Amino acid sequence: MTAAAMKFTHVDCGECPIRHRAVCARCDGDELDRLNEVKYYRSFQAGQTVVWSGDQMDFVASVVSGIATLTQTMEDGRRQMVGLLLPSDFVGRPGRDTAAYDVVATTDLVMCCFRKKPFEELIRTMPNVSQRLLEMTLDELDAAREWMLLLGRKTAREKIASLIAIIARRDASLKLHENNENVVVDLPLTREAMSEYLGLTLETVSRQISALRKDGIIQIQGKRHITIPAFDRLLEEAADDSDGGYLV
């Protein structure tokens, strides 16, 4: 077991860092006790496969820390990354026995898992969980539609800015951070992974990140530690016409 996983071996649900965004966000004390009876933690090292597409899945889970990718392989062997799993995202689907995608840990990953059959029985009598699952499913649908726009219509610079904004928004929502100035985030993806996810070459990703840094949109320490001096400016570079508020 990794050191990251050991931190969560006996964690109380009330102290969980993703509690306010996870599938159990609306649960009261009695409901948390019932979930705790079927809960366990699993850890995966960066690069390790959580589950292969088509495999039997005997658990569902929330990502506690780290990042995973959802990947689909076509018949000719080509692979396409179709989604990211960030902290508080839900993995697996009640009522479905097999995995729809390959799930691979991009960084060291800790997941709060629930045995699938007991979880399916619990949600029938726990409306707070089933309602939260519906909300998360609709959020996932909105995110998929946003990603279709990003991949289909945005320029390389806009794609990079959008990805940084998405990760920064999620990080801020987990930390309940509301300041739009000097937002600090560690990118969980290598530039190679970013290029695969965004459909760009590695050279293009590196060039656009350097351009955003040169123009003062982001500041970089090391390879992945990023400071965003003004989040609104990053959203402008991402061609985002929202009000700049963080996703919650």
Side-chain angles (χ1 to χ4, degrees), residues 2 29 72 77 111 119 198 233 236:
T2 66
Q72 196 161 37
M111 301 173 70
F119 183 82
L198 297 171
R233 287 191 64 197
E236 289 176 2

Side-chain angles (χ1 to χ4, degrees), residues 31-49:
E31 291 170 328
L32 288 176
D33 289 340
R34 294 175 65 190
L35 284 173
N36 198 53
E37 293 175 357
V38 298
K39 179 184 79 175
Y40 60 97
Y41 290 98
R42 292 184 64 182
S43 66
F44 301 87
Q45 295 181 344
Q48 187 176 355
T49 298

Side-chain angles (χ1 to χ4, degrees), residues 5 16 22 45 47 82 89 95 145-146 152 156 159-161 164 168 171 174 180-181 186 219 227 233:
C16 179
Q45 295 181 344
V82 297
D89 281 341
R145 288 168 172 166
E146 180 182 359
K159 288 179 179 181
I160 297 296
I164 295 172
D171 187 69
L174 287 170
N180 278 3
E181 296 183 357
D186 289 309
Q219 300 167 359
T227 299
R233 287 191 64 197

